[in-house]
Amino acid sequence: MSRYIKYIVVLILLSAGYKTKAQDIPQVWDLKTAIEYAKEKNISINTLKLSSQTAEQNLIASKAAVLPNLSGNVSQAITNYKSGLQNTSGFGLSSDMTLYNGSYLKNDIKSKNSVCKRQIYQ
């Protein structure tokens, strides 16, 4: 058993000192590559992209709030009595729609739309 542990320890030590091939090759950067890399990895730029995508999704959600909702359910139960089995089924369908909410939905869409336009110019 201790021989196997020695082999495992030796393998771990050998693999810890192993370098990947990409680290051994020095990479020469020209100005264009450096700028592209900086644009790709810049946290501020990535944050702006994500906030723009979030604003678009919020606009889609506020537009969807105007539409009616429809939900349905189905249930089935089988009960075993001494006299035999009893089968019970249930079905349901419901829908709702906001008719008027003090112009909140319309103003919310306008607000989210202006936020989306603002995100484009940043």
Side-chain angles (χ1 to χ4, degrees):
M1 184 71 177
S2 66
R3 189 172 73 184
Y4 293 115
I5 295 173
K6 288 179 184 178
Y7 286 130
I8 292 173
V9 170
V10 169
L11 286 174
I12 290 173
L13 291 174
L14 288 175
S15 64
Y18 179 73
K19 291 183 178 179
T20 61
K21 206 171 195 178
Q23 292 174 344
D24 292 337
I25 301 171
Q27 189 175 12
V28 179
W29 292 70
D30 59 343
L31 182 61
K32 183 178 181 181
T33 307
I35 291 173
E36 288 299 320
Y37 181 80
K39 284 182 181 178
E40 181 181 318
K41 301 296 181 182
N42 191 334
I43 293 174
S44 299
I45 292 174
N46 289 337
T47 303
L48 287 174
K49 287 178 185 177
L50 287 176
S51 64
S52 174
Q53 292 172 355
T54 302
E56 290 174 6
Q57 291 299 316
N58 288 339
L59 177 63
I60 291 170
S62 64
K63 286 181 179 179
V66 177
L67 301 175
N69 297 323
L70 179 66
S71 62
N73 60 13
V74 177
S75 64
Q76 183 173 6
I78 296 176
T79 308
N80 187 6
Y81 292 115
K82 290 182 182 179
S83 60
L85 295 175
Q86 181 182 6
N87 186 9
T88 307
S89 299
F91 305 96
L93 189 64
S94 65
S95 176
D96 65 351
M97 180 176 178
T98 304
L99 296 177
Y100 184 72
N101 195 7
S103 297
Y104 171 78
L105 297 175
K106 186 173 85 172
N107 292 334
D108 189 41
I109 292 171
K110 286 181 184 179
S111 171
K112 302 283 173 65
N113 198 11
S114 66
V115 169
C116 279
K117 288 180 182 177
R118 191 173 356 134
Q119 290 293 332
I120 291 171
Y121 296 117
Q122 286 185 349

